[in-house]
């Protein structure tokens, strides 16, 4: 993310050393507010004064100071590197954790001062405006880092019995002064919102617009998850890191916005399940219902295509949607997004012509030759897949990943279309379909040849194509959008 920005502001090693030498006295005065050894803790007012003093220094209209500001924004890793070089006063091996936390606190007060400088400036279109997204990113990543390891007692961030006995305790308790854990959580949440606002409009910012789509997706992952999608949503809570904290409304809302506005349009729907699981126990329930729904799909496909029990296969098909409905009611909208329910909802439109035309099923047979009967389902499947590939590419997915992700959505859509066609032809069509030559479609399921399979596969392909192409009727909604039509959000 920062590599493109650094190329716009090339600086050699000698220049960096000179900038750092000019910056060091001001940073040392700022870092003096951070305790480096056991002793009296600074008050919040003194830390705030140090942050404001450093922020005002960076706001000076001087080219040397502007280079220092650019250095801190574009090279945030140098803050930790230089802090490590300056030492902390902790020399014994037992105090390594305390030294690590001192370096992190120094980085916290530094990125907070930098953000105040670039955020308060009236420069709407100049260099400061270009640096603001990166400053917001640095602030969020630094402030939120220890909270990614909540209740992970193998991490140096989480206070265990050993660290408590050494007096290090929770590193988030005194970052901005004595007992400022709530202030840290509030600023981390604000930083997350600021950074998310820039990511949601990254094409409008010159530095972010040049980033590869993989980098944007990596930043979105860091924004809403603890340490990857398998670890669940990131919880920015003022509770001590050795205590479990469930996601509150803001944590869940950020995860949902990332899922709805970024992951689903890029066809990354599988990440919905881990974002739903708040705790380990809840994760077990989520995966249990998911496995049940998938098992019903598998049962319906096997019963219909391999055993010829078409009417019996309608039972697991109905149970699949019943389990999806139950899971949605229990686990909420994020879990429902996993199943791409807009696809089966749109695929049901394909049942209208299948029921309206009473004798189409009498003409369909598969002779396993290259003919219209065999090519029709393949053509419908192919154009549906091609449409989804184009949509993925237009949503800024990489050229090769677009093929894979479109294939995954096509596979899910094909399964939905198969279940819809199965339920529609075995349950709905015999009730509403017309009779032809004293026969109904119900007689199809007793045929001894491959007519039932041909009719079912062709109907599923038609439902899939109609479901996919019906997206052109929606107002700026991707094919993977959740089944929701109203939201209560302000326009950012």
């Amino acid at each position: 993310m920062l590599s493109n920005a650094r190329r716009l502001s090339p600086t050699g090693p000698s220049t960096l050393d000179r900038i750092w030498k000019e910056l060091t006295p001001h940073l040392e005065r700022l870092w003096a507010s951070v305790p480096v050894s056991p002793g009296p803790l600074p008050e919040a007012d003194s830390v705030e004064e140090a942050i404001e003093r450093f922020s005002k220094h960076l706001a000076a209209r001087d080219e040397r100071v502007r280079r220092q500001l650019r250095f801190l924004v574009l090279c945030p890793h140098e803050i930790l590197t230089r802090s490590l070089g300056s030492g902390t006063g902790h020399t014994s091996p037992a105090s390594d954790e305390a030294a690590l936390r001192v370096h992190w606190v120094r980085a916290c007060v530094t990125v907070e001062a930098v953000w105040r400088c670039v955020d308060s400036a009236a420069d709407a279109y100049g260099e400061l405006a270009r640096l603001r997204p990166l400053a917001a990113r640095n602030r969020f990543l630094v402030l939120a880092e220890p909270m990614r390891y909540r209740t992970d007692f193998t991490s140096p961030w989480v206070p265990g019995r050993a660290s408590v006995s050494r007096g290090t305790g929770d590193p988030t308790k005194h970052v901005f002064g004595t007992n400022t854990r709530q202030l840290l959580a509030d600023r981390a949440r604000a930083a997350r919102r600021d950074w998310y606002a820039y990511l949601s409009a990254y094409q409008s910012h010159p530095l972010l617009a040049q980033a590869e789509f993989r980098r944007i997706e990596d930043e979105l992952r860091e924004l809403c998850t603890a340490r990857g999608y398998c670890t669940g949503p990131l919880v920015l809570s003022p509770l001590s890191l050795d205590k479990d904290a469930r996601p509150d409304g803001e944590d869940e809302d950020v995860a949902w916005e990332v899922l709805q506005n970024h992951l689903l349009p890029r066809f990354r729907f599988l990440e919905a399940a881990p974002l739903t699981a708040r705790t380990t126990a809840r994760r077990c329930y989520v995966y249990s219902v998911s496995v049940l729904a998938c098992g019903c799909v598998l049962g319906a496909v096997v019963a219909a295509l391999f055993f010829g029990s078409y009417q019996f296969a309608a039972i697991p098909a109905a149970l699949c949607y019943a389990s999806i409905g139950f899971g949605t009611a229990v686990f909420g909208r994020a879990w429902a997004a996993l199943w791409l329910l807009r696809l089966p909802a749109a695929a049901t439109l394909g049942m209208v012509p299948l029921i309206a035309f009473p004798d189409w099923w009498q003409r369909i047979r598969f002779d396993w030759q290259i003919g219209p009967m065999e090519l029709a389902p393949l053509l419908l499947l192919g154009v549906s897949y091609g449409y989804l590939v184009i949509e993925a590419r237009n949503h800024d997915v990489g050229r090769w990943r677009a093929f894979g992700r479109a294939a995954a959505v096509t596979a899910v859509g094909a399964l939905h279309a198969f279940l819809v066609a199965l339920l529609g032809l075995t349950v709905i069509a015999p009730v509403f379909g017309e009779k032809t030559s004293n026969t109904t479609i119900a007689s199809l399921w007793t045929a001894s040849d491959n007519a039932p399979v041909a009719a079912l596969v062709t109907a599923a392909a038609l439902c899939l194509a109609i479901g996919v192409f019906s997206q052109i009727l929606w107002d700026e909604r991707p094919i993977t959008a959740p089944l929701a039509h109203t939201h209560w959000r302000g326009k950012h």
Side-chain angles (χ1 to χ4, degrees):
M1 179 63 68
L2 293 174
S3 58
N4 293 323
R6 294 194 190 104
R7 283 197 294 268
L8 298 179
S9 181
T11 304
S14 59
T15 305
L16 289 178
D17 291 338
R18 185 172 65 254
I19 294 174
W20 182 257
K21 185 177 297 185
E22 298 171 351
L23 187 59
T24 297
H26 303 282
L27 271 178
E28 288 180 347
R29 283 195 290 269
L30 173 65
W31 291 349
S33 63
V34 178
V36 298
S37 60
L41 295 172
E43 295 295 330
D45 292 341
S46 64
V47 177
E48 286 298 307
E49 290 178 3
I51 293 175
E52 285 294 332
R53 188 186 312 114
F54 187 66
S55 179
K56 290 179 179 179
H57 162 71
L58 295 177
R61 293 184 176 275
D62 183 272
E63 181 57 30
R64 291 186 305 170
V65 177
R66 187 58 58 91
R67 285 199 303 266
Q68 296 172 15
L69 177 62
R70 193 182 305 120
F71 168 80
L72 292 173
V73 174
L74 299 181
C75 305
H77 60 282
E78 289 290 339
I79 299 175
L80 290 176
T81 301
R82 306 291 178 165
S83 179
L84 289 170
S86 65
T88 63
H90 297 278
T91 56
S92 64
S95 59
D96 286 344
E97 291 183 9
L100 171 66
R101 296 170 182 182
V102 168
H103 296 306
W104 170 69
V105 175
R106 287 176 175 177
C108 287
V109 295
T110 304
V111 296
E112 180 67 23
V114 170
W115 171 251
R116 292 186 189 184
C117 175
V118 299
D119 186 49
S120 61
D123 187 2
Y125 300 101
E127 183 181 17
L128 290 184
R130 298 168 58 142
L131 293 177
R132 270 186 211 116
L134 301 182
R137 171 187 182 269
N138 298 340
R139 182 187 184 218
F140 163 69
L141 292 178
V142 172
L143 295 183
E145 179 62 19
M147 302 182 193
R148 300 182 186 278
Y149 298 87
R150 181 174 299 276
T151 67
D152 181 4
F153 291 95
T154 63
S155 167
W157 298 112
V158 180
R161 292 182 179 178
S163 60
V164 171
S165 66
R166 291 196 298 265
T168 55
D170 187 357
T172 64
K173 188 175 183 180
H174 308 295
V175 175
F176 295 107
T178 306
N179 296 322
T180 52
R181 186 186 287 127
Q182 180 67 54
L183 180 60
L184 172 64
D186 292 340
R187 288 178 175 172
R189 289 174 175 175
R192 178 170 61 182
R193 277 293 176 185
D194 292 331
W195 178 220
Y196 175 70
Y198 286 115
L199 283 176
S200 295
Y202 74 95
Q203 293 177 335
S204 300
H205 299 281
L207 297 182
L208 300 184
Q210 301 177 56
E212 299 178 3
F213 91 100
R214 294 183 295 106
R215 304 303 180 191
I216 297 295
E217 289 189 340
D218 291 344
E219 297 296 334
L220 291 168
R221 181 194 63 219
E222 297 298 316
L223 186 79
C224 66
T225 67
R227 299 183 305 279
Y229 290 107
C230 62
T231 59
L234 173 62
V235 180
L236 300 182
S237 170
L239 293 178
S240 176
L241 297 181
D242 59 346
K243 297 180 180 179
D244 189 23
R246 292 188 175 186
D248 61 7
E250 184 174 350
D251 297 324
E252 292 181 341
D253 189 59
V254 169
W256 170 251
E257 287 192 32
V258 171
L259 178 65
Q260 180 184 27
N261 299 328
H262 296 274
L263 299 182
L264 291 179
R266 294 182 174 92
F267 294 175
R268 297 194 65 176
F269 58 94
L270 294 178
E271 281 76 11
L275 291 178
T276 307
R278 306 178 187 177
T279 61
T280 303
R282 186 180 178 89
R283 190 176 295 118
C284 294
Y285 293 132
V286 168
Y287 291 144
S288 297
V289 179
S290 302
V291 170
L292 175 62
C294 294
C296 291
V297 174
L298 180 62
V301 173
V302 171
L305 298 184
F306 295 95
F307 292 97
S309 302
Y310 305 101
Q311 293 171 320
F312 175 80
I315 297 176
L319 289 177
C320 171
Y321 287 112
S323 60
I324 291 176
F326 172 79
T328 302
V330 174
F331 305 126
R333 57 189 181 182
W335 190 82
L338 171 68
W339 302 97
L340 306 183
L341 296 180
R342 205 169 272 262
L343 282 169
T348 55
L349 296 176
M351 292 306 304
V352 175
L354 295 178
I355 296 177
F357 301 140
D359 60 347
W360 62 271
W361 50 272
Q362 298 180 5
R363 303 188 303 270
I364 293 183
R365 298 290 188 277
F366 282 168
D367 297 329
W368 309 113
Q369 298 177 357
I370 300 178
M373 294 298 178
E374 291 78 15
L375 290 179
L378 295 177
L379 178 61
L380 293 171
L381 181 65
V383 297
S384 300
Y385 174 66
Y387 181 93
L388 293 175
V389 170
I390 294 174
E391 182 176 349
R393 284 293 288 155
N394 288 338
H395 290 166
D396 208 19
V397 179
R399 61 173 64 94
W400 300 117
R401 297 195 181 192
F403 289 102
R405 295 184 186 181
V409 174
T410 303
V412 173
L415 290 174
H416 276 304
F418 180 84
L419 298 183
V420 168
L422 178 64
L423 290 170
L425 295 181
T426 59
V427 180
I428 306 300
V431 176
F432 294 96
E434 297 183 11
K435 290 185 178 181
T436 59
S437 302
N438 297 322
T439 63
T440 66
I441 197 173
S443 62
L444 173 66
W445 312 118
T446 59
S448 58
D449 55 7
N450 62 15
V453 174
L456 191 57
V457 170
T458 304
L462 179 64
C463 290
L464 172 64
I466 292 179
V468 169
F469 282 93
S470 66
Q471 191 229 350
I472 63 177
L473 303 176
W474 307 339
D475 183 20
E476 298 181 356
R477 304 286 286 176
I479 191 70
T480 50
L483 276 178
H485 302 279
T486 303
H487 61 84
W488 296 267
R489 302 185 186 279
K491 293 183 179 181
H492 300 288

